[in-house]
Amino acid sequence: MSETIETSSEIITLTIDGQEIQAAAGQTILQAAQKNGIYIPTLCALHATKENGLESDIAPGTCRICTVKVNGRTMAACTTPVAQGFVVENDTEELNDLRKTIVELLFVEGNHFCPSCEKSGSCDLQALAYRYQMLSPRFRYAFSSREVNAESPKLLFDRNRCILCRRCVLAIRTEDGKQLFGFTKRGDKSGIIMDEELVKNISEEQAQQAMHICPVGAIIRKEKGFDTPFGQRKYDQNPIGSETVCTTCNGEKS
Amino acid sequence: MAQKITIEPVTRVEGHGKVTIHLDDNHQVTESRLHIVEFRGFERFVCGRPFWEAPVLVQRLCGICPVSHHLAAAKAMDMLVGAGDGNGLTPVAEKMRRLMHYGQIFQSHVLHFFHLASPDLLFGIDADPAQRNVIGVIMEHTELAKQAVLMRKYGQEIIAATAGKKIHGTGAVPGGINKNLSLEDRDAFLNGINGNPDLSADKMIKWAEAAIALLLDYHSSHTEFLDGFAAFPSNHLSLVRPDGALDLYHGVIRAVDPEGKRIVNDVDSRDYLEVVEEEVRSWSYMKFPYIKELGPKKGWYRVGPLARLNVCDFIPSPKAQAAFEQFRAYTKGKPNSMSMHYHWARLIETLHAAEVMKELLLDPDLQGTDLVTKGERCGEGIGLLEAPRGTLFHHYQVNEQDLITMCNLIVSTTNNNEPMNRAVNAAAVAQMTGKAEITEPMMNAVEVAIRAYDPCLSCATHAMGQMPLEVTLYDAAGAVLDQQRKGM
Ligand code: SF4
Ligand code: SF4
Ligand code: FES
């Protein structure tokens, strides 16, 4: 599992859904796809942009929503480096149904009440649920008992909505590099913990960055709810996947 | 032999309700009860949530008047974030919220009157249910039905432009609003949405006036029914502007007795707990509020359009004021206690809402950009509001971490609990005394009484013409004597 990705200048040729594309050796299938304007869904992987303040792309490989078939085998597109002659299947009925299942499982496993969630309209999980047309529940709700941590003066951490993607763990650090969030326990007991002392002292900008990086409404700026009217939220105009990362900048940091 | 008639379910009052009518050996009605048997628990499950979620969360209480809950909670949150108690917002925030609210009143009153109540009036309460519904109105009174649809649409579009969505929007935030009104929207509402002059502010005023004329015309030929059906004296409570004007968004608490004497004299809405108390009865999940000083026996009151017009001194818009003067003159200045006159009062308020919407649309403050005010945080917020069906009380306490720790909601339907029970009883006495058989018109009469107050109880009946309804007659020993069902 790679967390940051090194690339070289060697050129690799592969196909995604029958389309021949070229990529630099060391890039992941996801990066190669993004560079060529092909959409592969992501939840845990995040492309570095000015907006999110990341130095380089991250790919914790925790969510598996990016699952593609490589030469017939299912692999995570965000963690699999490209290789010469790869035949990648991506936008197929079978894979999209698999992705829908992952989304559904994330919904029943946490406690999501989108109507009152500040992230509604800007939430990646919700946007994927729309994309894959999640309608009535197929799985039984787990009704997990999750705590809300409101100790920090700037952030509200709502574990009910956390999908354990690990973005916050990898991406949100103090200026001197200390982690603000960490993973705890295992299996169905897994969870995210905050370093309360460090989180207490974060700046406005960092609080904003943390909210931005979390793909769902688990990390929320306090007292900032619902400031963005309908129509102006992230996915109001363009549903998720209708655009990929800028295709002219080679998927590099903009 | 003593009997008990059960009408169950009476649908869509916060879920599920039923009516029981108790008859004695001579088939005389001894008592009637409207049971609200569904438990919803909103007051509990907002606890533990951050306060800024409340205005969005609690509007799920209702699909017809979500805006009212949204705004009542937002008003409570204003107090919490130090933005005053209803008077501290920026002009654009206050006026956008008012526009949202009057749009809500307008669309809800139109829905209530035309879609739900008018079939009873146009066809008679004992007409064939196949005709006595909104489809029947469309077939027989096409022009009227079309107007009703467009009026409702106008109100809904006002809500969408201010709250972001027609149902369950997010416009009001603690301390203000999240958007202003674009010039484009303003012009559309003034001149006609999508260039349709039938969807303009002036048309709404005209059609609201015509609706009052329609009701008065009906009244002149059905005076006995409208005046006598489920009429009984009561206290009346509502908010009024401090100068006594009708104000549906903010005001002081005032109540009058059946003679018009002030029994609650313009109390600050933050002191609502000094004015009302609630009683719990074993057979209903809905509580019974009453004016504290008078106690539960004498202190129960009505809320909603009828109560508001009985309580206020005047209406601050000219056409509605003229209609109000006529309304007041009918009871010679005394409070009006006729349940069916709720519809008359409702239409006067519909006209008022249309006038207020136009006045607000012409106000350049709506295009202001100063949206939110904040001051010193405190731990408690109280927001009162006049919703379409009556006074709403929203009260929250919040801890230092911003999470809600206490929530008390007294909603319009709850405020009208005792009056609705009395109206059901009055209808039952009139319709069922001396009869042993359950007929459809009898059941509908009970619903007509409820519907004057609250369509949420019975909207399925008229929306679809097939409300699931079960009426059971019991003898004193609990054995079933007769049972009628429809729509099940
Ligand atoms: S985090 Fe996303 S999916 Fe979960 S409740 Fe919020 S908007 Fe809905
Ligand atoms: S808090 Fe957000 S970013 Fe962190 S693991 Fe949970 S969902 Fe991912
Ligand atoms: S995006 Fe690839 S595993 Fe999450």
Side-chain angles (χ1 to χ4, degrees):
Chain A
M1 179 171 65
S2 69
E3 291 177 353
T4 54
I5 296 112
E6 298 293 326
T7 59
S8 82
S9 54
E10 190 197 335
I11 299 296
I12 304 268
T13 304
L14 66 157
T15 68
I16 300 184
D17 292 335
Q19 181 187 339
E20 192 175 288
I21 61 163
Q22 298 198 317
Q27 276 188 325
T28 61
I29 297 172
L30 175 69
Q31 288 171 320
Q34 285 178 334
K35 182 188 153 199
N36 286 278
I38 297 168
Y39 177 67
I40 297 176
T42 56
L43 275 170
C44 67
L46 188 59
H47 179 64
T49 62
K50 251 190 222 137
E51 244 194 328
N52 62 34
L54 284 185
E55 295 294 321
S56 52
D57 293 0
I58 55 167
T62 50
C63 76
R64 263 29 195 185
I65 196 81
C66 65
T67 299
V68 289
K69 275 195 174 170
V70 182
N71 299 344
R73 289 182 57 200
T74 49
M75 316 276 269
C78 72
T79 56
T80 308
V82 289
Q84 199 64 38
F86 263 6
V87 176
V88 179
E89 291 167 65
N90 166 46
D91 190 11
T92 66
E93 208 175 303
E94 184 198 352
L95 286 168
N96 287 337
D97 191 54
L98 196 72
R99 290 163 181 164
K100 180 180 176 183
T101 309
I102 292 172
V103 171
E104 287 180 295
L105 286 167
L106 288 171
F107 266 96
V108 297
E109 200 258 338
N111 302 305
H112 296 269
F113 184 63
C114 300
S116 79
C117 178
E118 157 63 6
K119 199 75 174 225
S120 261
S122 304
C123 167
D124 290 358
L125 180 65
Q126 185 193 47
L128 286 170
Y130 279 117
R131 182 177 175 91
Y132 295 115
Q133 298 183 12
M134 183 183 90
L135 298 171
S136 52
R138 223 188 326 169
F139 303 107
R140 276 170 54 167
Y141 287 97
F143 297 113
S144 321
S145 172
R146 306 259 189 95
E147 264 168 44
V148 174
N149 184 331
E151 294 299 320
S152 154
K154 293 204 182 73
L155 288 182
L156 177 96
F157 180 47
D158 189 342
R159 292 190 171 89
N160 290 293
R161 302 170 183 153
C162 175
I163 57 168
L164 299 170
C165 71
R166 224 164 145 245
R167 273 192 195 181
C168 57
V169 178
L170 295 179
I172 304 163
R173 295 179 187 254
T174 57
E175 271 176 20
D176 53 353
K178 288 195 192 111
Q179 274 185 218
L180 293 169
F181 294 85
F183 238 76
T184 173
K185 301 192 179 148
R186 285 163 179 261
D188 65 354
K189 306 275 182 309
S190 307
I192 295 288
I193 42 168
M194 285 200 295
D195 184 317
E196 281 179 16
E197 272 313 300
L198 289 180
V199 170
K200 211 179 269 176
N201 299 316
I202 56 170
S203 64
E204 284 296 317
E205 295 69 38
Q206 251 189 331
Q208 189 61 39
Q209 190 208 15
M211 174 159 173
H212 187 88
I213 279 176
C214 177
V216 291
I219 303 177
I220 292 287
R221 286 281 304 283
K222 273 194 170 175
E223 293 195 33
K224 271 290 185 189
F226 309 98
D227 291 357
T228 313
F230 287 102
Q232 294 172 29
R233 303 166 313 169
K234 188 171 170 193
Y235 296 118
D236 283 344
Q237 309 281 338
N238 302 304
I240 198 166
S242 57
E243 290 172 358
T244 53
V245 175
C246 162
T247 53
T248 51
C249 66
N250 292 340
E252 281 156 21
K253 190 178 178 204
S254 50
Chain B
M1 172 185 332
Q3 293 171 333
K4 187 170 94 173
I5 300 171
T6 307
I7 300 179
E8 184 185 23
V10 179
T11 59
R12 305 226 183 147
V13 50
E14 300 164 35
H16 181 121
K18 70 173 180 177
V19 170
T20 55
I21 298 155
H22 302 256
L23 305 180
D24 68 10
D25 294 350
N26 304 319
H27 301 309
Q28 302 292 313
V29 176
T30 53
E31 195 190 1
S32 311
R33 286 173 174 177
L34 169 64
H35 304 250
I36 305 300
V37 292
E38 178 151 323
F39 178 72
R40 298 198 73 197
F42 260 86
E43 288 168 334
R44 283 296 297 148
F45 67 64
V46 298
C47 290
R49 298 308 308 169
F51 71 80
W52 56 90
E53 271 184 17
V56 179
L57 193 54
V58 293
Q59 62 181 333
R60 257 70 199 176
L61 274 159
C62 181
I64 300 183
C65 53
V67 170
S68 313
H69 293 287
H70 180 57
L71 288 174
K75 285 178 75 182
M77 297 314 150
D78 294 344
M79 208 172 132
L80 205 95
V81 300
D85 70 318
N87 294 317
L89 302 185
T90 65
V92 54
E94 154 121 20
K95 288 173 185 175
M96 280 294 282
R97 285 198 192 176
R98 280 183 177 272
L99 182 62
M100 191 195 299
H101 187 46
Y102 281 87
Q104 158 68 18
I105 294 276
F106 188 74
Q107 74 84 14
S108 172
H109 277 5
V110 167
L111 172 89
H112 193 151
F113 180 73
F114 285 105
H115 297 68
L116 307 169
S118 80
D120 293 321
L121 306 183
L122 294 169
F123 302 117
I125 65 169
D126 50 2
D128 179 358
Q131 185 193 34
R132 198 192 58 217
N133 57 48
V134 73
I135 307 291
V137 177
I138 294 168
M139 306 292 278
E140 292 274 322
H141 305 269
T142 313
E143 210 31 52
L144 195 66
K146 193 179 132 201
Q147 283 176 18
V149 168
L150 292 176
M151 286 168 90
R152 178 132 197 272
K153 178 176 171 62
Y154 189 87
Q156 294 278 50
E157 294 292 346
I158 290 270
I159 295 171
T162 47
K165 280 203 311 181
K166 288 177 187 155
I167 301 173
H168 300 149
T170 59
V173 295
I177 194 91
N178 68 13
K179 64 183 293 214
N180 63 12
L181 190 75
S182 70
L183 285 170
E184 219 182 359
D185 277 345
R186 183 202 66 179
D187 292 344
F189 287 124
L190 283 172
N191 307 323
I193 301 167
N194 294 330
N196 180 357
D198 276 348
L199 284 167
S200 66
D202 286 329
K203 226 5 155 351
M204 296 306 124
I205 294 173
K206 199 173 148 223
W207 283 346
E209 280 183 290
I212 297 175
L214 175 90
L215 186 95
L216 291 180
D217 183 47
Y218 180 84
H219 184 230
S220 63
S221 53
H222 297 78
T223 315
E224 206 184 313
F225 165 59
L226 280 192
D227 292 3
F229 187 86
F232 50 87
S234 72
N235 303 313
H236 300 270
L237 180 142
S238 97
L239 297 179
V240 284
R241 206 164 74 182
D243 64 356
L246 178 75
D247 192 327
L248 304 173
Y249 177 74
H250 190 63
V252 289
I253 310 169
R254 184 187 281 187
V256 297
D257 74 4
E259 295 304 308
K261 194 176 128 243
R262 265 318 144 82
I263 47 175
V264 174
N265 199 5
D266 297 359
V267 172
D268 190 310
S269 60
R270 287 168 294 189
D271 298 327
Y272 85 100
L273 280 177
E274 287 170 21
V275 175
V276 291
E277 215 157 58
E278 293 175 277
E279 190 191 12
V280 176
R281 295 185 197 164
S282 60
W283 47 270
S284 177
Y285 273 123
M286 193 149 76
K287 291 192 257 184
F288 290 79
Y290 56 89
I291 294 165
K292 211 167 167 177
E293 216 184 317
L294 299 179
K297 286 241 152 25
K298 290 195 176 141
W300 61 273
Y301 52 85
R302 290 197 250 217
V303 296
L306 188 74
R308 289 192 285 252
L309 296 204
N310 284 331
V311 165
C312 75
D313 297 330
F314 67 100
I315 299 184
S317 69
K319 289 176 194 292
Q321 170 65 15
F324 171 71
E325 283 165 17
Q326 196 180 1
F327 174 88
R328 268 289 168 90
Y330 192 69
T331 52
K332 305 192 169 53
K334 286 270 161 61
N336 184 327
S337 63
M338 298 168 259
S339 290
M340 293 305 281
H341 287 214
Y342 259 95
H343 295 307
W344 187 3
R346 184 168 291 122
L347 292 175
I348 295 173
E349 285 191 344
T350 308
L351 175 59
H352 174 57
E355 289 182 286
V356 171
M357 286 190 289
K358 182 174 175 191
E359 191 187 312
L360 285 167
L361 288 167
L362 291 169
D363 190 331
D365 277 349
L366 281 188
Q367 279 76 47
T369 49
D370 195 1
L371 304 183
V372 177
T373 324
K374 288 206 175 147
E376 204 179 316
R377 257 288 300 274
C378 68
E380 189 154 29
I382 294 171
L384 268 62
L385 183 94
E386 284 299 324
R389 275 159 285 286
T391 319
L392 275 187
F393 302 74
H394 277 228
H395 182 186
Y396 305 84
Q397 279 165 2
V398 171
N399 66 15
E400 305 236 300
Q401 283 77 42
D402 293 342
L403 302 183
I404 296 169
T405 53
M406 187 287 293
C407 167
N408 186 35
L409 307 172
I410 311 177
V411 303
S412 324
T413 314
T414 310
N415 281 309
N416 268 337
N417 197 357
E418 179 70 31
M420 283 196 292
N421 270 277
R422 293 199 179 227
V424 164
N425 191 58
V429 168
Q431 298 285 323
M432 298 186 182
T433 299
K435 293 180 189 154
E437 221 178 282
I438 307 161
T439 61
E440 203 281 333
M442 267 162 78
M443 284 151 69
N444 193 47
V446 168
E447 287 179 41
V448 167
I450 300 168
R451 205 173 288 130
Y453 294 81
D454 209 325
C456 307
L457 280 162
S458 48
C459 57
T461 324
H462 283 221
M464 301 308 295
Q466 41 177 260
M467 169 181 171
L469 188 68
E470 186 178 299
V471 180
T472 315
L473 260 168
Y474 297 97
D475 66 12
V480 176
L481 290 179
D482 186 13
Q483 191 167 57
Q484 298 289 331
R485 288 178 171 197
K486 66 171 187 176
M488 291 175 80

